[in-house]
Amino acid sequence: MTTALGQQPWEPALSVRQVLTLERVLAGQPEVVAGAHRLDRPVRWVHVAEAADVGVMLTGGEMVLTTGVLLAGDEAKQGEYVRSLHRAEASAVVLGLGRAFPTPPDGMRRAAERCGLPMVVLHRPSPFAELTEEVQSRLLRRKFAAVSLSEAVRTELTGLITAGAPVQRLLDEVARHGGCPVVVTNLAHRVLATAGERAAVDDVLRDWERIARQAGAGSADGWIRAELSCRGERWGRLLLCGYRGDRAAGRLLADRAAEALVLHRMLGGDGTHVQGPGGSWDSWEEQSARNLLTDLVTGAVPARQLLPRARAAGLPVNRRVFVPLVVRGGDAALLDRVLRLLGLPGVAADLGDDRVTVLLSLAPDQDARALAAHFAARLRSEPDASRAVVAAADARAAWDDVPAGLREARHVADAVADSAPGLDLPPVVRLRDIHLRGLVRLLRDDPRVQSFAERELDGLLGGPDEDLLAVLRTYLATGRNKSRTAQLHHVSRPALYRRLEAIQGRLGVDLDDFEQAASVHIALLAHDAQQG
């Protein structure tokens, strides 16, 4: 597996700087005489070697210990010795001063500086065996600890997957192990999911574009990346953001987390989907949009705290106008495709109850009403959305007003859903278009309204002729237009008259009387709103 920042499979290591702080090394009074800017190079192993061609025996990452006894008096050999270590990708060379070299040799020092190879001299005699033993034992302990951590993380995450835990639970566990925020992105750096302490995550997302570039280039301290791929195709990245532990252990944690996420996603069919409402499998982008819009609609998180998430998810938020929409009769994937076709920045998500919530982000000089109407028309041109109903709230110039706008659009969409079928509606339905129906829907949970509806409709509710209620609904919604009602119900006018007479008889009202008809109409609106 490719690991964080493109490195090879994880292997425990100490840095040259860390080795120089060990007690037995300090006893030799170490002095860095060359390559001081490369002290963070990893030390994979310690090797004692006096041979001039030692480079051919190395595999990379070794700290080489030598007394230089075979190099004394020959500056050319000294330079070639250092260059051979550099070619073998040794991490550093440590020269014990003594009989061969009482002072640091200029030839070796200059060659090491040119190669960028850290060169350390020990001013006091230090048994190489003891020094090697200490470093190797540290490395072995780290390797054992790493294996234990690796297996513990893998076991825990696999257990969660087996138990059917959602992907957010996996990310929460990774954030807990890492003690830092975790971010999952697509290949365009768009944030798909996050985990960790909310304040820390918001700090990361607030400056996400700059941070993502640095992490991608491998230049951000404490930022560890693991690629996400399935069946040979990369589709995202997982990042540990500001990890403060050992970098090698962080890479291991990121790799184990990536393995778990890929396994979890493979259960969705192609490795790029996550289970959404109703058991359906949605893309990471759909889940990200759903989480953002859900938090906005419910008010679970203050709108201002959601700004970093919205920006990191690819929604423009600076100096924008926001248009809340709710669509019935189209799925989120279709709406998102229409947005892309029209070049409209926005997010769309299915929040349940056959409603897809959409939030458009427009420039202040754009005509919000015209673009909403254009979106609705383009949507209805799709075969699968020809009967879609688009409800909208007025555009919001302030981000803090977006939650109220989304709730207003949902209210309009619900009120339209209660309408009798076949009614003419504007291309985009707004609050002013739902009139009394909207008011009644707001009051539907009031016990007095419920009692009024049951009292007015008692003769029809629960009766054997359910179609009479449908006829009454259409008749009142069309403004008591008998011809239109007969047409919509595919009956003759005489047949309609008989049904209207039956309705009036059961309810004990005269539907030609405006006040009585209005009372029954309000009761029916309240009944439908309660049922909805």
Side-chain angles (χ1 to χ4, degrees), residues 278-291:
S280 62
W281 288 91
D282 302 322
S283 70
W284 279 87
E285 285 82 358
E286 289 170 336
Q287 185 195 38
S288 174
R290 181 185 305 111
N291 291 341

Side-chain angles (χ1 to χ4, degrees), residues 11 258 340 394 426:
E11 189 170 354
R340 290 197 301 271
D394 290 335

Side-chain angles (χ1 to χ4, degrees), residues 195-440:
E197 185 182 348
R198 188 75 263 164
V201 171
D202 288 344
D203 285 343
V204 168
L205 298 184
R206 194 167 288 114
D207 197 18
W208 177 249
E209 290 187 8
R210 179 186 62 82
I211 288 172
R213 285 195 302 271
Q214 290 183 346
S219 59
D221 183 31
W223 292 73
I224 300 175
R225 185 183 77 194
E227 302 295 336
L228 301 173
S229 62
C230 185
R231 298 181 176 92
E233 182 177 352
R234 288 193 306 131
W235 57 269
R237 300 181 180 96
L238 177 141
L239 293 100
L240 304 183
C241 306
Y243 181 77
R244 295 304 175 198
D246 178 78
R247 187 168 184 82
R251 290 201 302 270
L252 180 147
L253 176 61
D255 288 342
R256 294 295 171 263
E259 290 175 3
L261 289 185
V262 170
L263 176 60
H264 194 284
R265 292 303 168 268
M266 288 180 69
L267 298 178
D270 64 0
T272 64
H273 288 65
V274 60
Q275 201 163 24
S280 62
W281 288 91
D282 302 322
S283 70
W284 279 87
E285 285 82 358
E286 289 170 336
Q287 185 195 38
S288 174
R290 181 185 305 111
N291 291 341
L292 174 63
L293 291 176
T294 297
D295 286 344
L296 281 169
V297 169
T298 61
V301 180
R304 187 145 301 275
Q305 292 184 21
L306 294 172
L307 265 174
R309 283 172 54 188
R311 186 182 295 110
L315 185 71
V317 295
N318 294 333
R319 296 184 294 279
R320 307 293 287 186
V321 172
F322 304 98
V323 183
L325 305 173
V326 172
V327 178
R328 286 186 176 272
D331 60 62
L334 174 59
L335 269 64
D336 192 58
R337 182 165 65 85
V338 172
L339 289 176
R340 290 197 301 271
L341 286 172
L342 297 178
L344 292 176
V347 291
D350 182 358
L351 302 190
D353 297 331
D354 191 33
R355 294 178 297 193
V356 179
T357 300
V358 181
L359 182 62
L360 301 181
S361 174
L362 306 177
D365 59 349
Q366 291 181 290
D367 189 333
R369 286 182 172 271
L371 287 175
H374 185 41
F375 168 78
R378 182 63 182 80
L379 175 63
R380 292 194 189 95
S381 70
E382 297 286 334
D384 295 336
S386 59
R387 301 178 66 84
V389 175
V390 179
D394 290 335
R396 263 54 180 181
W399 176 257
D400 287 343
D401 295 334
V402 167
L406 289 170
R407 289 190 289 270
E408 179 182 314
R410 287 166 65 87
H411 168 63
V412 173
D414 290 342
V416 173
D418 296 337
S419 301
L423 296 182
D424 292 329
L425 293 171
V428 178
V429 187
R430 302 180 186 278
L431 194 59
R432 66 166 61 94
D433 300 315
I434 58 176
H435 306 295
L436 180 61
R437 189 180 304 276
L439 174 63
V440 171

Side-chain angles (χ1 to χ4, degrees), residues 46-92:
V46 177
H47 189 70
V48 179
E50 300 292 352
D53 59 349
V54 62
V56 300
M57 297 182 284
L58 305 180
T59 58
E62 295 91 351
M63 174 180 277
V64 176
L65 309 181
T66 182
T67 61
V69 65
L70 299 181
L71 305 174
D74 192 332
E75 193 165 305
K77 278 188 177 181
Q78 296 168 20
E80 179 55 30
Y81 180 85
V82 170
R83 287 189 290 273
S84 70
L85 295 181
H86 172 65
R87 289 193 295 270
E89 299 183 346
S91 59

Side-chain angles (χ1 to χ4, degrees), residues 436-437 440 452 456-457 472-473 475-479 511 514-528:
L436 180 61
R437 189 180 304 276
V440 171
F452 167 75
E456 289 289 301
L457 302 175
L472 175 63
R473 182 181 294 109
Y475 179 62
L476 295 173
T478 58
L511 292 178
F514 175 79
E515 185 174 341
Q516 294 183 55
S519 180
V520 172
H521 194 187
I522 293 172
L524 186 57
L525 292 177
H527 168 75
D528 288 346

